Amino acid sequence: MKRRLLWVALCCAMPLSGAFAQKKAADDPTIMTVAGKDIPVSEFLFIAQKDSGVDLNNKKSLDDFVTLFKHFKQKVADAEAAQYDQTENFRNELRDYELQLRAGFLSDKRGEAEAIRTVYNRGKMLPSFSDIVFPLPEKTVSKDTVAVYRRAKAAYDRISRGENYDKVARELAPGRDDDSVFFDHVEYIYPLQLMKSLENTVFNMKVGQIVGPVRSPAGYHILRLDQLTPNPGRRRVAHILIGSDEDHQDTVALLRRANEVYDLLKKGESFSSLVNTYSTDGRTRNSGGILPYFSLGEMVRPFEEAAFALKDTGDFTRPVRTRFGYHIIKLLDKRPMPPYEEMEKSYYTTMRQGDRNFELFKTYDDMMKQKYGYVFYPEAYEELQRLCDNYFPTDSDFHKQARQMHKTLLRIHDTDIPQSEFAEYLRLYPFSTKTYSGDFMSEVYQLFVRDITNNLERRELDANHPELEKLMKEYRDGILLFNISNERVWSHPVEEQAKLEADWLKELDRKYAVKINRKVLSNLKQYIAPTSKK
């Protein structure tokens, strides 16, 4: 039988607790029995203390909540009797919630917020930069990068010795049939638009600074920061386009017509009526020439320069020439850079899906490493790194050699993990988008360590977070309550709902017996945690 992987054995040494697997403690007696099911006082208090309208020290308030809780549990029992909990939709919704709930405990929200805010703050100043690119082929090993790196380094050295950056770029890039060098100028970059290695470099450069060679999945780059522009936010404008569908426009005639329209505007004629009469932009003519909100870099340059130069809403420009013709632009609204709260969710979604997840989850990963006594052995890792000089980590020759390497690569939770264990994980889970062999292995190694610590942490979740079970139970019963209430009451006309609810409650009292433990109910204070405010 194949030897079981040590890291798997380590993570599975103790079974994971089920969502409802905790034993009822002796100090958690039954407060109520509904339809033959005992309900512990902890569940009763968990729900009561989340309701700001319940005062456990007030007899009437408590009695009202007991009645409400009793009906809640009877309705859940009715839903179970009707097998609402056996549907595929119910199981899927409950499973998805549990995954989200547990993932929330396997995170450091404060650290994530700091990582997102760092990215957000970058967007306050928008870099424009030039880029000389020496491309690398896909699935590159170290030996394949040497020649490309030397060419990039030679170009960088020429620039460092005083040669003009643009002159060197034009000499190397234009007219090459083999696409061996590219030269580009990039305007107004926003956070999360570039590859991570480039973004981290560009957003930390000073205007005029030249840096290189910088490696990315695309190749080696020589970068120059040309400009930093304060983020002006977004604009909404309307425009009148005086253009022609002909390839060779009579620009003199177009300008004459545009100036005539401009003069009419100055005399007070309605902008929207002039749009309808003169504009050749068929997409916006019927809507008063209004365009969607846009930021710097989203429109052709002369148009956006003119639009962002307008100061007050209602102001309009003189005719502005672009390749589409002449535009007269009217400012409708100015919005500043979106606040952090508006961008946080989209930034989180983007960062968690790519290699930026290591920045997003760094504080949590570090916290778990410390908790489980993570020790890294660089010499053993270096031996694997040397394999990357000749083989890509997904190649069979890489695995053939790596599985024979048994030095300790890391120690975690008092267990030594050898190189061969990581090599097998890499073979089974080669999940990386990196095209350079060393980067590919590094990314998978970080995921390997994260998988071990997360599985160790999951193993302890239920013991460390007793509220997990209660939250799952509350959510489960809430789904059932919603579904059966919707069918029995809420889907009917409003004028019928009160009677339907009353009739249903009478039916529930007949079908499901309720026994209340008055002794526990009268001594609730002894079961309330000292930190509770109720």
Side-chain angles (χ1 to χ4, degrees):
M1 183 181 293
K2 187 176 179 180
R3 178 177 61 84
R4 192 182 194 192
L5 293 176
L6 284 177
W7 72 274
V8 174
L10 169 65
C11 296
C12 300
M14 293 172 56
L16 291 176
S17 300
F20 310 111
Q22 293 180 335
K23 294 181 179 180
K24 186 169 68 174
D27 58 352
D28 192 13
T30 297
I31 193 171
M32 189 180 297
T33 303
V34 180
K37 290 187 178 180
D38 292 339
I39 300 164
V41 67
S42 60
E43 182 182 344
F44 177 87
L45 287 172
F46 182 74
I47 296 176
Q49 292 175 304
K50 292 174 70 174
D51 188 338
S52 60
V54 178
D55 182 356
L56 296 176
N57 296 312
N58 180 285
K59 185 178 185 306
K60 184 180 184 308
S61 179
L62 178 58
D63 288 344
D64 288 344
F65 180 74
V66 168
T67 301
L68 188 68
F69 188 80
K70 177 191 77 168
H71 291 156
F72 165 49
K73 287 298 182 180
Q74 286 177 318
K75 290 176 181 179
V76 170
D78 211 26
E80 291 170 341
Q83 296 190 324
Y84 280 73
D85 57 340
Q86 301 302 311
T87 67
E88 184 177 356
N89 285 342
F90 170 82
R91 290 195 295 266
N92 289 342
E93 185 174 352
L94 191 63
R95 183 197 64 235
D96 291 345
Y97 176 74
E98 181 170 12
L99 290 173
Q100 294 174 18
L101 184 62
R102 289 180 176 274
F105 284 98
L106 297 172
S107 64
D108 174 19
K109 295 303 180 186
R110 179 177 295 180
E112 291 171 11
E114 289 176 358
I116 295 170
R117 190 170 287 280
T118 296
V119 173
Y120 171 81
N121 286 337
R122 284 178 171 178
K124 295 177 180 179
M125 298 294 291
L126 306 179
S128 300
F129 67 96
S130 297
D131 186 10
I132 308 172
V133 188
F134 297 79
L136 287 170
E138 292 188 6
K139 295 186 70 171
T140 309
V141 298
S142 298
K143 65 180 181 180
D144 297 331
T145 69
V146 174
V148 180
Y149 174 80
R150 285 175 177 167
R151 293 178 60 215
K153 184 66 165 60
Y156 176 75
D157 289 342
R158 288 174 59 187
I159 296 168
S160 297
R161 289 193 295 267
E163 288 193 54
N164 180 269
Y165 178 97
D166 295 291
K167 174 179 173 294
V168 172
R170 287 192 296 268
E171 178 186 318
L172 293 171
R176 295 297 184 95
D177 295 332
D178 58 356
D179 292 334
S180 58
V181 182
F182 297 100
F183 177 47
D184 196 13
H185 180 73
V186 183
E187 292 277 9
Y188 307 127
I189 283 298
Y190 293 80
L192 306 182
Q193 288 187 337
L194 293 173
M195 292 174 284
K196 186 174 75 170
S197 55
L198 287 187
E199 178 172 313
N200 288 343
T201 301
V202 168
F203 276 91
N204 284 290
M205 292 172 66
K206 297 178 180 179
V207 174
Q209 184 179 3
I210 297 172
V211 174
V214 175
R215 182 165 48 78
S216 82
Y220 286 101
H221 305 254
I222 302 174
L223 303 164
R224 181 185 66 194
L225 185 62
D226 298 318
Q227 182 177 319
L228 281 174
T229 304
N231 188 339
R234 294 170 288 177
R235 298 289 186 271
R236 192 169 202 190
V237 303
H239 80 136
I240 303 169
L241 173 61
I242 309 299
S244 170
D245 294 331
E246 299 176 3
D247 290 337
H248 301 289
Q249 298 178 353
D250 183 347
T251 56
V252 174
L254 291 180
L255 178 58
R256 184 185 309 116
R257 193 182 316 150
N259 281 327
E260 290 171 358
V261 175
Y262 176 72
D263 290 339
L264 292 172
L265 273 174
K266 288 198 300 180
K267 291 176 182 178
E269 292 217 20
S270 164
F271 193 93
S272 58
S273 66
L274 292 174
V275 168
N276 189 58
T277 303
Y278 293 100
S279 182
T280 58
D281 183 358
R283 296 169 302 173
T284 64
R285 187 169 52 235
N286 294 330
S287 60
I290 298 174
L291 293 167
Y293 282 94
F294 59 91
S295 304
L296 279 179
E298 295 182 10
M299 295 290 187
V300 291
R301 187 160 187 169
F303 185 97
E304 74 177 19
E305 285 180 347
F308 278 91
L310 293 169
K311 293 182 179 180
D312 299 315
T313 55
D315 288 354
F316 52 86
T317 66
R318 300 185 68 87
V320 176
R321 186 180 177 184
T322 72
R323 63 177 181 268
F324 304 107
Y326 285 92
H327 308 256
I328 300 172
I329 306 164
K330 179 181 179 181
L331 181 62
L332 302 179
D333 190 25
K334 298 166 67 173
R335 289 187 178 178
M337 176 181 172
Y340 171 80
E341 292 73 21
E342 185 178 320
M343 302 299 297
E344 181 181 17
K345 186 174 181 180
S346 64
Y347 277 6
Y348 175 85
T349 300
T350 301
M351 292 178 72
R352 74 186 296 271
Q353 292 174 342
D355 59 354
R356 298 174 192 271
N357 80 87
F358 297 109
E359 295 174 349
L360 183 64
F361 303 133
K362 184 180 185 305
T363 58
Y364 180 76
D365 288 341
D366 289 347
M367 193 162 53
M368 290 299 99
K369 287 178 184 178
Q370 183 176 4
K371 177 176 179 178
Y372 291 107
Y374 168 78
V375 179
F376 175 62
Y377 293 87
E379 298 83 2
Y381 187 88
E382 180 60 33
E383 289 185 1
L384 290 168
Q385 182 68 55
R386 284 197 289 273
L387 284 183
C388 291
D389 293 344
N390 298 301
Y391 309 108
F392 203 79
T394 55
D395 292 349
S396 58
D397 286 333
F398 180 96
H399 296 291
K400 190 181 297 182
Q401 295 190 41
R403 68 188 179 204
Q404 304 301 322
M405 300 166 68
H406 302 298
K407 289 182 181 177
T408 298
L409 179 62
L410 68 145
R411 182 173 179 80
I412 197 161
H413 205 49
D414 298 325
T415 301
D416 291 336
I417 307 292
Q419 298 154 310
S420 56
E421 300 285 337
F422 167 60
E424 181 62 10
Y425 177 92
L426 199 158
R427 184 184 71 81
L428 294 171
Y429 309 107
F431 301 136
S432 172
T433 58
K434 294 294 188 291
T435 57
Y436 176 69
S437 58
D439 293 344
F440 189 102
M441 187 177 75
S442 173
E443 192 164 276
V444 177
Y445 177 78
Q446 292 177 77
L447 293 173
F448 176 61
V449 176
R450 181 186 290 168
D451 267 359
I452 295 174
T453 57
N454 276 357
N455 278 303
L456 288 167
E457 190 66 7
R458 285 190 188 98
R459 199 179 71 182
E460 300 182 4
L461 260 187
D462 293 296
N464 292 340
H465 299 282
E467 68 272 26
L468 245 174
E469 179 183 359
K470 296 181 179 66
L471 287 167
M472 282 302 302
K473 186 71 166 64
E474 179 187 31
Y475 192 81
R476 172 194 181 275
D477 289 354
I479 300 173
L480 296 176
L481 175 66
F482 176 86
N483 290 340
I484 194 168
S485 296
N486 189 55
E487 181 175 318
R488 294 293 302 261
V489 180
W490 301 336
S491 61
H492 295 267
V494 175
E495 59 272 15
E496 299 177 13
Q497 290 181 12
K499 185 176 186 309
L500 288 170
E501 175 75 13
D503 291 345
W504 188 23
L505 292 178
K506 291 176 183 177
E507 178 187 329
L508 291 171
D509 283 334
R510 291 194 302 269
K511 290 168 68 174
Y512 305 108
V514 176
K515 182 180 178 182
I516 299 174
N517 189 333
R518 296 292 175 182
K519 182 178 179 181
V520 173
L521 192 61
S522 63
N523 291 285
L524 276 181
K525 287 184 180 180
Q526 72 179 79
Y527 304 108
I528 298 175
T531 54
S532 173
K533 295 181 180 180
K534 292 188 178 183

